[in-house]
Amino acid sequence: MTLNDVVATSEEAVILNSDSTVNVNGGDFKTTGTKSCFVNNSANLTIDKGITTVGTFVSEGASCIDNSWGQVRINGGSFTTDAGIAVENRGGLRLNGGTVEAPNGIAIDISGESGDVQLNGGTIRNSVTGVRVADAGDSEIDLKAVTFENNTDDISLGNDQQINIKKSFVGTAKIRVDDPARGRQITTDNEDLSYQNKLKLFSMNSGYIIGYKRDANGVEYRYLADANGNIVNAVNAKATADLGAGEQELDTATVVPENTTVTVTANLPEGAEGAEGAEFLGWSAVRADGIALNLGDDPTAHFEMPGCNVTVEALYQGGNGDIDNPSGGGSSDVVAGIAAVALTGAAVWGIYETGTGIYRVLNMPDVPMPSNRAGLATLIWEKAGCPEPQTVKSFSDIDDADLHLRQAASWMEEQGLMDDVKENEFRPYRYVTKLQTCLVWDKAKEKSLIS
């Protein structure tokens, strides 16, 4: 049966479809009793736009579609109910277009192991819950390109339920689960090209964020991670930890809960400038709260995550490239000689220490050695008399309330003494060596900025 632009109002179901095929093209359906507009039992139902109407389907006190063991394809139209569920699905469902909304409940409810669901398009909006998945068993539920608008929760997952979110999904989704726990898996295992880390998923469970896991075999998925933590910034090293989904590599977007064991491994990237022939010397570990973090001299080390950010850098000597130099170089023979010692690898670490020590005795008497970029910037700026920079920048990693450091960093950049590590980032807690401090000090003297 095919219905084109039909108008119908009924206290009973407008269409009761069993073991047959019905095509609805547009129209205006409304039920005012306790029955759905469409009751589909072991049958095929397809809903498209009509010739003269888009298709409006409203049910009062009941769902718009009640599908049991059938196949429903929604290609257009709008579905609205004041009841608890707009589309009640216990079978196969294809949402390819149209809009679905349930201001008092669930737009699309998927329960029971009775078919697969593909959310390929359309808009789910103005609902308490956009999509609810519960007791779906082995049914496949794919989210491909639906748009979520103004829902309290876009996706709600029952105990142990997961959803397969494809790389074609480019919107945002707010997800709530019935059984939140650290490591609780949200999306199904996926062996496609790495994309899930780019999905914009937000946890609606208090105390959790949606983390990302990708194992050595390329299998990736999203899971619940503790929201109360800080980050580890590993330089020339790899940092890993078990955040509830097994051991995984950390990046600067990964939140690590306090007291979690973090493992760092020296890892100068192959092919990096200066990597060939470089020899591991030790660790520089800087806590944001200024408390020392001793990792020893082994190229693999462990520490318990504190309640603040941590920057860990693997230090090397030798190699065939230049060392990290925040100042752009220096001019004095002493500084040049120190740099040559560090670059050739022909001298041991003790000679490097001796060289920097000689320079400090000659040029920096009683000047304390800073341990990070923030300390270096404020040291030089204060020695110059705290001059006002032309523009006080807002750095993404410096608190706007810390005017003293922002002024120092802005002035150092304007004078060409230090540069952004990345655009709009200063990396204030990144480690600086004694040689780097000597080079910046020397350049500031050369520019007559300090005496």
Side-chain angles (χ1 to χ4, degrees), residues 314-369:
L315 304 178
Y316 295 83
Q317 75 165 345
N320 57 8
D322 200 357
I323 60 174
D324 182 22
N325 182 0
S327 73
S331 63
S332 78
D333 292 339
V334 175
V335 173
I338 299 170
V341 168
L343 292 176
T344 61
V348 295
W349 185 247
I351 297 178
Y352 167 82
E353 286 286 304
T354 301
T356 54
I358 293 172
Y359 179 84
R360 298 195 321 265
V361 169
L362 295 176
N363 299 277
M364 304 173 64
D366 301 321
V367 175
M369 287 287 103

Side-chain angles (χ1 to χ4, degrees), residues 165-177:
I165 303 181
K166 299 289 190 177
K167 59 185 174 184
S168 53
F169 179 74
V170 295
T172 61
K174 298 173 291 185
I175 301 177
R176 186 187 302 274
V177 301

